[in-house]
Amino acid sequence: MPPIHPVIAVYPGTFDPMTLGHEDVVRRATQLFEKVIIAVAAGHHKKAMFTLAERIDMAREVVKAYPGVEVESFSGLLRDFVVARGGKAMVRGLRAVTDFDYEFQLAGMNRSLMPDVETVFLTPSDKYQFISSTFVREIAVLGGEVDKFVSPMVQRRLTEKVRSLGGP
């Protein structure tokens, strides 16, 4: 018997920018949950290349083909956002073993703050496991090709942003 209420999952991150790996995790999450909310962090702890509004706009464009996916921003404690949206699961992407230690600690902390919310780890397809937003930004700033790592729209926005910052 299906749940009476849709199970809401929250996929948090800075998404600066959203990569094909992120998109793959979203696709996988939509196969497990009725509703997925991509929670774009204001990024107070990281220096973002793109503004919050730009990151939200790109994420919305990337996931528009996936029904049941919404994109929202958040600042402050993720717990407050998840609880306010009725989230029952938090989706986290794992690329490699090096991600696991940090993500495991984060999951433990989140369980302490949100005992009714489960953390679900999803791995992207093999071809996306090495992609990180940090690498994509660095490659773009240095004039390299990023078309294998991001959607065409994100690639275009990266090129425009790098030019506006005085890059190649």
Side-chain angles (χ1 to χ4, degrees), residues 1 9-10 51 60 65-66 68-69 82 86 92 100-102 104 109-110 123 131 133 156-157 160 168:
M1 182 175 188
V10 176
T51 67
R60 284 185 177 145
Y66 300 99
V69 177
V82 172
R92 299 295 297 169
F100 184 77
D101 186 52
Y102 171 77
F104 186 77
M109 185 60 68
N110 284 330
T123 58
I131 301 173
S133 293
R156 188 177 67 255
R157 299 280 295 265
E160 291 168 3

Side-chain angles (χ1 to χ4, degrees), residues 51-148:
T51 67
L52 179 59
E54 290 170 327
R55 290 181 284 133
I56 290 168
D57 185 50
M58 283 188 288
R60 284 185 177 145
E61 182 68 25
V62 166
V63 302
K64 70 181 180 186
Y66 300 99
V69 177
E70 298 176 5
V71 178
E72 296 184 45
S73 67
F74 81 95
S75 60
L77 272 180
L78 178 60
R79 178 203 62 197
D80 297 338
F81 180 88
V82 172
V83 170
R85 302 308 182 281
K88 291 297 175 196
M90 189 154 29
V91 172
R92 299 295 297 169
L94 284 180
R95 292 179 305 233
V97 173
T98 52
D99 288 345
F100 184 77
D101 186 52
Y102 171 77
E103 292 294 343
F104 186 77
Q105 291 177 49
L106 187 61
M109 185 60 68
N110 284 330
R111 177 168 287 144
S112 177
L113 294 171
M114 302 177 286
D116 296 332
V117 176
E118 294 297 331
T119 298
V120 177
F121 296 113
L122 297 176
T123 58
S125 174
D126 294 350
K127 61 184 173 183
Y128 303 131
Q129 285 189 352
F130 61 92
I131 301 173
S132 80
S133 293
T134 302
F135 290 159
V136 168
R137 287 192 312 270
E138 288 178 12
I139 292 166
V141 165
L142 295 171
E145 294 295 321
V146 295
D147 59 312
K148 291 180 269 195

